Amino acid sequence: MYRLIMGALISVCFSTFANAESFSLAVPELNEEVTVSVYSSTFANNEVFENQVQKVDSNQVSNSPILIWFTEGYAERSTFRGLIQMLNDTGFDVWQVDLLESYFIERTPSNVRQLSGHGVSAVFSAAQETGRPFVPISTGRMNLILLRGARLWQLADKPENLVTF
């Protein structure tokens, strides 16, 4: 009985991940596409965040930043899913991007180091079009690709691409 109840609780807790939406972005420089998985925040009806939500074109748009997480093969792990769920419950939308998976490239250190950053730049441009602030996140070897992509995005000769610290 205990296992049945725990199994039901776990499936309810992680049901958000089965329903994650995704979209593809064209990366013309590479003649490729990048897939972005979107895990939407779960606070829509929560009174705590009522003053952080504004009405825009009859759609609710949060003022909280989009967290763009560039992963390297660990997105299916339960600890990652738990962290995503906690961020969603706190009111953040999370965009998860796995460039190696999008490009159908084997997961090796040399393949990661050879990524140009154009995919990261395309994701940043798409995030910028939402009109919301965004925060890029990466770990390990993806840090280098994140920095390359951020620089390509800045060099796109758009003054609004200014990054401040």
Side-chain angles (χ1 to χ4, degrees):
M1 182 68 172
Y2 174 77
R3 287 184 182 176
L4 179 63
I5 292 171
M6 289 307 293
L9 284 174
I10 289 171
S11 66
V12 168
C13 288
F14 292 122
S15 63
T16 303
F17 300 102
N19 298 326
E21 298 176 14
S22 64
F23 62 91
S24 295
L25 298 170
V27 183
E29 296 85 358
L30 302 175
N31 200 22
E32 293 277 357
E33 287 187 354
V34 172
T35 302
V36 179
S37 298
V38 179
Y39 301 98
S40 298
S41 64
T42 54
F43 74 88
N45 297 321
N46 191 335
E47 294 176 13
V48 173
F49 295 99
E50 204 168 272
N51 59 357
Q52 290 186 0
V53 177
Q54 61 184 356
K55 284 283 196 175
V56 178
D57 298 330
S58 73
N59 294 323
Q60 284 192 346
V61 177
S62 171
N63 288 329
S64 66
I66 299 169
L67 305 180
I68 306 173
W69 200 329
F70 293 90
T71 61
E72 187 186 343
Y74 51 80
E76 297 302 319
R77 294 183 184 167
S78 61
T79 52
F80 178 80
R81 290 181 177 200
L83 186 55
I84 293 290
Q85 185 66 49
M86 287 175 20
L87 292 168
N88 288 157
D89 291 345
T90 307
F92 292 101
D93 290 338
V94 179
W95 290 10
Q96 183 263 323
V97 181
D98 188 335
L99 294 173
L100 294 173
E101 184 176 297
S102 291
Y103 300 151
F104 300 103
I105 298 175
E106 184 181 4
R107 297 184 188 286
T108 64
S110 61
N111 283 342
V112 173
R113 285 190 298 269
Q114 291 175 3
L115 293 174
S116 65
H118 285 86
V120 172
S121 179
V123 173
F124 285 2
S125 295
Q128 186 176 26
E129 289 176 12
T130 67
R132 292 174 55 190
F134 59 91
V135 177
I137 303 168
S138 68
T139 58
R141 293 183 293 252
M142 291 308 293
N143 291 336
L144 175 62
I145 310 314
L146 176 66
L147 291 172
R148 285 179 185 164
R151 185 63 180 148
L152 290 171
W153 178 69
Q154 284 180 318
L155 293 174
D157 196 31
K158 297 178 183 175
E160 63 271 13
N161 289 357
L162 176 66
V163 176
T164 59
F165 296 95

